[in-house]
Amino acid sequence: MNKKVLVGMSGGVDSSVCAYLLKASGYEPTGINCRFFDNDDAFITDKTCCSLEDANDARNVAYKLGIPFYVFNFTEDFRKCVIENFVETYMNAATPNPCIECNRRLKFDKLLKRATELDHDYVATGHYAKIETDPVSGRKLLKKGIDPKKDQSYVLYMLNQFQLAHTLFPLGGYTKTQIREIAEEQGFLNSKKHESQDICFIPDGDYAAFIEKHTGKTFPSGEFVTEDGKVLGTHKGIIRYTVGQRRGLGLALPAPLYVKRKDLINNRVVLSPEKDLYSSDLDAENINIIVSDKLDVPLKVKARIRYNQPEQPATVTQTDENRFHVHFDVPQRAIAKGQAVVLYDGDIVVGGGTII
């Protein structure tokens, strides 16, 4: 009997080809479009990946492939697990990564549980990453996709052994160009569809406006200050600034200054010269180690502190069950609390955590 797979189908080209490749490989795919938010919860535009048009595109591909198709309503779960986390993290002066939380809480948790309830063996998505089995330890390993421009292993570091054993990433061995070619060969109407951009529920990128709309709160102006407390001007609300930011400060300064940190207690945004943004060390919590149960000794790795950043040489030391410390060989610019740090050994994801 062929293995059954719930395939997350967003309506984009990647998830469409994912479903095609699975069926061509002998699996029995069922297309699932996850409804994550309503119009009242998000600023839906043609850049978002979760519109009614996208759902219809997914349905059309499923029909063309001759596979079942359903829509799962995860709007309440998405609001609680992703949107509320995003808002709370920003309001606490950190920089969230909602894609990671969506993967952690929904796509590889609730969707996988739904697959089990429906007697399916796997879930599958159109992520560019690979899952392999370590021949020595028998553990499941998460590895980079072969297309360096599309590799999405960074946002998947939280997958545990059970999830990795019940997840399929068919696109990991392909480039984006090859995926579009397959879509065109199969006559998929979305073969040339644009990529979804930015955060799916804030496609215009105006995080502050979204947070104010969602919370019903306004965030008062306050002072821009230097580290020693010298007042430089007035900011427009503390949620409108991120660590490392230079543009959009609205200040006339004799030399460039950047956001170094946000002082919630005093409603101040602290600015500094760029050289003061660099640090060699960070601590992370809510860690997930994939290659082993824990890191018994300090380990040389390559580390990434944001999605598109090149990996940097570092040493990681696990300090307790839920935390590790990372020391970089070379100081890194604007390490942001709330973002993920992901550790690599070649193309293998060692693990990762949330920067604190």
Side-chain angles (χ1 to χ4, degrees):
M1 183 176 177
N2 293 339
K3 297 287 188 179
K4 295 181 178 180
V5 189
L6 283 190
V7 186
M9 298 183 68
S10 66
V13 63
D14 293 332
S15 57
S16 298
V17 174
C18 173
Y20 162 75
L21 291 173
L22 288 167
K23 184 176 182 183
S25 298
Y27 292 95
E28 291 185 22
T30 296
I32 300 298
N33 181 259
C34 296
R35 184 169 180 80
F36 286 144
F37 46 76
D38 297 312
N39 286 12
D40 291 340
D41 292 326
F43 298 160
I44 296 178
T45 73
D46 61 357
K47 287 186 178 182
T48 188
C49 61
C50 304
S51 66
L52 179 61
E53 180 184 354
D54 291 313
N56 289 334
D57 287 347
R59 189 186 305 276
N60 289 337
V61 170
Y63 178 80
K64 188 175 183 65
L65 292 174
I67 65 174
F69 179 82
Y70 303 97
V71 176
F72 287 173
N73 188 345
F74 286 139
T75 53
E76 184 63 17
D77 295 308
F78 189 86
R79 184 185 63 79
K80 290 180 179 178
C81 298
V82 180
I83 294 179
E84 295 293 347
N85 175 270
F86 175 89
V87 171
E88 183 179 349
T89 303
Y90 246 105
M91 289 176 63
N92 283 283
T95 306
N97 193 317
C99 294
I100 289 175
E101 287 306 306
C102 184
N103 287 336
R104 187 198 311 271
R105 308 296 183 191
L106 299 181
K107 292 178 182 175
F108 301 101
D109 183 6
K110 293 189 179 295
L111 186 59
L112 183 52
K113 288 175 182 176
R114 189 71 63 88
T116 302
E117 292 168 358
L118 297 174
D119 203 25
H120 281 58
D121 303 282
Y122 300 99
V123 297
T125 66
H127 285 97
Y128 287 79
K130 298 192 291 183
I131 298 172
E132 297 180 3
T133 302
D134 186 332
V136 177
S137 68
R139 293 180 70 90
K140 292 295 182 181
L141 300 177
L142 175 65
K143 304 180 75 172
K144 297 176 187 175
I146 67 167
D147 187 339
K149 294 181 180 179
K150 292 298 297 179
D151 168 53
Q152 291 170 298
S153 59
Y154 175 85
V155 296
L156 299 167
Y157 78 85
M158 80 302 299
L159 293 175
N160 60 39
Q161 287 296 301
F162 177 82
Q163 292 166 335
L164 289 167
H166 293 86
T167 297
L168 301 173
F169 293 136
L171 306 195
Y174 294 86
T175 65
K176 181 72 176 195
T177 299
Q178 290 173 318
I179 293 303
R180 288 203 182 275
E181 289 173 351
I182 292 171
E184 289 190 37
E185 290 169 1
Q186 297 305 312
F188 294 163
L189 293 177
N190 58 8
S191 62
K192 297 181 180 179
K193 191 173 184 177
H194 64 77
E195 301 263 341
S196 58
Q197 298 177 20
D198 300 311
I199 294 173
C200 64
F201 55 94
I202 318 177
D204 66 356
D206 192 343
Y207 306 158
F210 175 83
I211 292 169
E212 290 180 336
K213 175 178 181 289
H214 183 79
T215 62
K217 298 178 180 179
T218 56
F219 294 83
S221 59
E223 295 173 333
F224 283 119
V225 297
T226 60
E227 279 282 21
D228 60 5
K230 179 182 177 182
V231 177
L232 300 172
T234 302
H235 68 67
K236 298 180 180 179
I238 204 164
I239 62 169
R240 301 182 185 279
Y241 306 93
T242 57
V243 173
Q245 178 179 340
R246 176 191 171 189
R247 296 179 183 275
L249 301 181
L251 298 174
L253 300 169
L257 292 180
Y258 300 77
V259 175
K260 183 175 183 180
R261 60 184 177 86
K262 296 188 282 187
D263 177 357
L264 284 178
I265 294 176
N266 297 302
N267 190 29
R268 287 177 158 187
V269 176
V270 181
L271 305 182
S272 74
E274 186 174 24
K275 66 180 179 60
D276 292 340
L277 297 180
Y278 287 81
S279 175
S280 296
D281 295 271
L282 66 80
D283 289 290
E285 67 179 9
N286 295 326
I287 66 173
N288 182 50
I289 306 299
I290 295 176
V291 297
S292 60
D293 290 332
K294 62 179 180 178
L295 301 177
D296 293 316
V297 296
L299 183 67
K300 291 292 294 183
V301 294
K302 295 288 186 69
R304 188 184 296 173
I305 58 171
R306 55 183 62 90
Y307 184 77
N308 289 317
Q309 182 211 30
E311 296 154 30
Q312 303 296 316
T315 301
V316 58
T317 304
Q318 188 166 343
T319 52
D320 64 35
E321 183 179 350
N322 196 40
R323 293 189 180 192
F324 58 58
H325 178 85
V326 177
H327 175 76
F328 290 94
D329 292 6
V330 177
Q332 300 299 301
R333 183 185 187 278
I335 298 175
K337 182 173 68 171
Q339 285 285 287
V341 54
V342 181
L343 314 173
Y344 292 86
D345 178 7
D347 63 348
I348 297 172
V349 178
V350 173
T354 303
I355 299 169
I356 57 173

